[in-house]
């Protein structure tokens, strides 16, 4: 087995496709740094201005009246006016560098917004305001920061905040990336069966060795994400790895950046193994790289096209392959909300990997190879 792995490593090292993929990963990281910089993400003044404009748009749907309790305005109207005042207060706190006031105002703002969701007429302004899910994520984050007295960070280009942002962006496309990378993993073997028959090992061991070499390359891709982000330590700083990130894991909770990165890495590794094994099995069944890729992408988008399937088959591993949407609770915003648990997702993907390994071991033999 080790001799086969050594041969694979030598072949993969000089493979132009792998070299190009490494360059593409590096380019992606640098483009994300450029995007964060040019979009000025983390600029509190800019974010509060957008919030203020959204509230102004919502208030245009009401007749302008006195917002005091006796002024004749509806409860929702008065609530939105108070929200607008708090946004102005937050902008002032940012300009005057008053982090404690900013945090207190953010907590009050989230509480006020939470009350608005149950008020009469909210459906008229819902499109102008964040969802209940977004507000709950904000609320749990600010409450945690107030409790732990962690200073508010506003620079997303610090190393640790950027890495967490990068992994959050990758979460929605990681399976697609690995599917493209591995969709032709066994096609050459079917075109030239002598590649396998020339090795003194069974087909299942050959496949496992091929998968291990592919996972080694996946490890290189993940390592590149960190290496290409290292210049940020010199340019912007390291950042606080214990800084909180609001997540949804059946309940709204807070993870440190360390924990968030750990969960994300575990998902990325399991999803990579899952996608590679699925490519192997589909290659054997379909003997076509493009059909393999089509089936993989179809299975990936089915839960998005038919959200009711998520409730019907909660143990379907494809529900959890977009782990960013799982961790930030995006499925709660569906017409029929679904609460996906990220821990269960890891378990279901792990079980699926076990089943596919058994399938490779028991059903894939050299006798099934046919020249195409």
């Amino acid at each position: 087995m080790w001799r086969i792995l050594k041969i694979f490593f030598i072949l993969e090292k000089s493979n132009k496709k792998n070299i190009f993929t490494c360059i593409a990963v590096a380019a992606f990281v640098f483009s994300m740094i450029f995007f964060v910089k040019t979009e000025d993400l983390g600029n509190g003044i800019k974010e509060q201005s957008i919030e203020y404009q959204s509230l102004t748009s919502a208030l245009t749907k009401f007749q302008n009246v006195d917002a005091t309790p006796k002024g004749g305005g509806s409860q929702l109207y008065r609530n939105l006016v108070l929200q607008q005042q708090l946004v102005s207060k937050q902008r002032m706190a940012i300009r005057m560098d008053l982090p404690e006031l900013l945090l207190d105002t953010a907590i009050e703002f989230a509480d006020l917004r939470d009350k608005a969701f149950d008020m009469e007429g909210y459906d008229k302004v819902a499109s102008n305001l964040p969802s209940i899910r977004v507000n709950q994520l904000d609320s749990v984050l600010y409450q945690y920061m107030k409790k732990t007295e962690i200073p508010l960070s506003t620079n997303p280009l610090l190393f640790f905040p950027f890495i967490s942002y990068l992994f959050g962006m990758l979460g929605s496309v990681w399976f697609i990336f690995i599917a493209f990378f591995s969709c032709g993993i066994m096609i050459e073997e079917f075109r030239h069966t002598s590649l396998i028959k020339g090795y003194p090992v069974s087909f299942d061991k050959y496949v496992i060795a091929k998968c291990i070499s592919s996972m080694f390359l996946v490890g290189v891709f993940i390592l590149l994400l960190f290496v290409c982000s290292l210049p940020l330590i010199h340019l912007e700083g390291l950042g606080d790895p214990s800084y909180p990130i609001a997540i949804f894991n059946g309940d709204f909770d807070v993870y440190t950046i360390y924990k968030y990165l750990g969960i994300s890495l575990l998902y990325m590794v399991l999803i990579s193994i899952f996608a590679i094994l699925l490519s192997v099995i589909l290659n054997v069944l379909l003997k076509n790289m493009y059909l393999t890729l089509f089936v993989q992408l179809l299975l990936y988008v089915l839960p998005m096209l038919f959200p009711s399937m998520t409730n019907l088959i909660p143990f379907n591993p494809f529900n959890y392959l977009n782990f960013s949407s799982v961790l930030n609770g995006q499925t709660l915003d569906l017409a029929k909300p679904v609460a996906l648990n990220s821990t269960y997702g890891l378990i279901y993907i792990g079980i699926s990997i076990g089943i596919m390994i058994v399938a490779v071991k028991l059903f894939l033999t050299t006798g099934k190879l046919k020249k195409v």
Side-chain angles (χ1 to χ4, degrees):
M1 174 72 81
W2 172 246
R3 185 174 296 177
I4 299 174
L5 281 173
K6 189 175 180 181
I7 293 172
F8 282 156
F9 289 150
I10 294 171
L11 292 174
E12 300 288 7
K13 184 174 65 174
S14 57
N15 190 314
K16 290 182 179 179
K17 183 193 80 170
N18 298 333
I19 295 171
F20 174 78
T21 306
C22 287
I23 294 172
V25 171
F28 173 77
V29 176
F30 293 131
S31 65
M32 290 306 301
I33 293 174
F34 180 76
F35 172 78
V36 172
K37 186 71 174 176
T38 54
E39 290 296 312
D40 204 13
L41 299 184
N43 185 326
I45 297 293
K46 181 180 177 181
E47 291 174 356
Q48 295 306 320
S49 296
I50 295 172
E51 191 78 62
Y52 191 91
Q53 290 170 7
S54 297
L55 287 165
T56 300
S57 298
L59 285 169
T60 58
K61 299 178 182 180
F62 297 84
Q63 181 181 358
N64 290 333
V65 295
D66 184 357
T68 62
K70 296 183 180 179
S74 67
Q75 277 190 317
L76 180 59
Y77 178 80
R78 294 197 297 271
N79 182 288
L80 294 176
V81 170
L82 288 174
Q83 285 188 46
Q84 200 173 49
Q85 292 172 359
L86 287 175
V87 170
S88 297
K89 196 172 180 180
Q90 287 181 62
R91 285 196 295 186
M92 181 269 293
I94 293 170
R95 284 196 177 98
M96 298 185 67
D97 193 21
L98 299 171
E100 188 173 343
L101 176 62
L102 175 61
L103 195 56
D104 289 339
T105 309
I107 293 171
E108 186 180 353
F109 179 71
D111 290 341
L112 192 63
R113 197 160 54 183
D114 186 59
K115 294 175 183 176
F117 294 129
D118 298 322
M119 292 181 177
E120 184 180 353
Y122 179 77
D123 56 317
K124 297 178 182 178
V125 298
S127 60
N128 299 103
L129 302 175
S131 65
I132 296 175
R133 172 188 64 86
V134 172
N135 189 59
Q136 287 179 309
L137 287 171
D138 288 344
S139 180
V140 72
L141 176 64
Y142 297 140
Q143 293 285 355
Y144 178 87
M145 294 182 70
K146 178 72 174 177
K147 181 180 178 181
T148 56
E149 299 182 348
I150 294 176
L152 190 65
S153 174
T154 57
N155 186 358
L157 283 176
L158 294 170
F159 177 76
F160 279 110
F162 176 76
I163 284 291
S164 62
Y165 174 77
L166 182 66
F167 277 39
M169 294 295 291
L170 279 171
S172 57
V173 298
W174 186 251
F175 175 79
I176 297 173
F177 170 70
I178 299 299
F180 271 95
F181 170 69
S182 65
C183 61
I185 187 171
M186 296 298 297
I187 295 301
E188 284 300 315
E189 281 73 5
F190 286 116
R191 288 176 179 165
H192 309 285
T193 55
S194 59
L195 288 175
I196 294 180
K197 294 178 179 177
Y199 287 105
V201 293
S202 60
F203 182 55
D204 60 323
K205 289 184 179 179
Y206 182 92
V207 170
I208 296 299
K210 188 89 172 179
C211 292
I212 291 173
S213 67
S214 296
M215 278 305 300
F216 174 78
L217 285 169
V218 170
V220 172
F221 301 151
I222 294 174
L223 182 62
L224 268 175
L225 298 174
F226 287 94
V227 171
C228 293
S229 302
L230 287 177
L232 290 175
I233 297 177
H234 173 71
L235 296 173
E236 302 288 341
L238 190 62
D240 183 5
S242 63
Y243 194 79
I245 296 176
I247 61 97
F248 180 79
N249 190 28
D251 293 305
F252 291 95
D253 199 359
V254 171
Y255 284 175
T256 62
I257 290 180
Y258 265 148
K259 188 173 182 179
Y260 181 81
L261 291 178
I263 295 292
S264 298
L265 282 170
L266 188 55
Y267 258 108
M268 290 169 77
V269 169
L270 289 180
I271 288 172
S272 300
I273 298 172
F274 178 86
I276 289 170
L277 287 171
L278 184 60
S279 292
V280 169
I281 292 171
L282 290 175
N283 278 180
V284 171
L285 295 175
L286 304 174
K287 298 181 176 62
N288 185 287
M289 178 176 71
Y290 301 107
L291 277 177
T292 294
L293 181 60
F294 174 77
V295 172
Q296 285 181 307
L297 296 182
L298 179 63
L299 291 171
Y300 178 71
V301 301
L302 275 178
M304 304 175 198
L305 297 175
F306 305 100
S308 58
M309 290 178 59
T310 307
N311 271 326
L312 187 64
I313 316 174
F315 49 84
N316 177 10
F318 290 94
N319 295 340
Y320 301 89
L321 296 183
N322 183 344
F323 66 84
S324 288
S325 68
V326 174
L327 287 171
N328 62 26
Q330 282 185 4
T331 52
L332 295 174
D333 290 338
L334 296 173
K336 294 182 179 179
V338 181
L340 296 179
N341 187 302
S342 61
T343 304
Y344 290 161
L346 292 171
I347 294 171
Y348 296 145
I349 295 173
I351 291 173
S352 301
I353 289 171
I355 292 172
M356 287 192 285
I357 289 175
V358 171
V360 170
K361 183 71 177 174
L362 295 181
F363 302 111
L364 301 187
T365 66
T366 50
K368 289 185 179 290
L369 289 176
K370 293 181 181 179
K371 199 168 183 177
V372 295

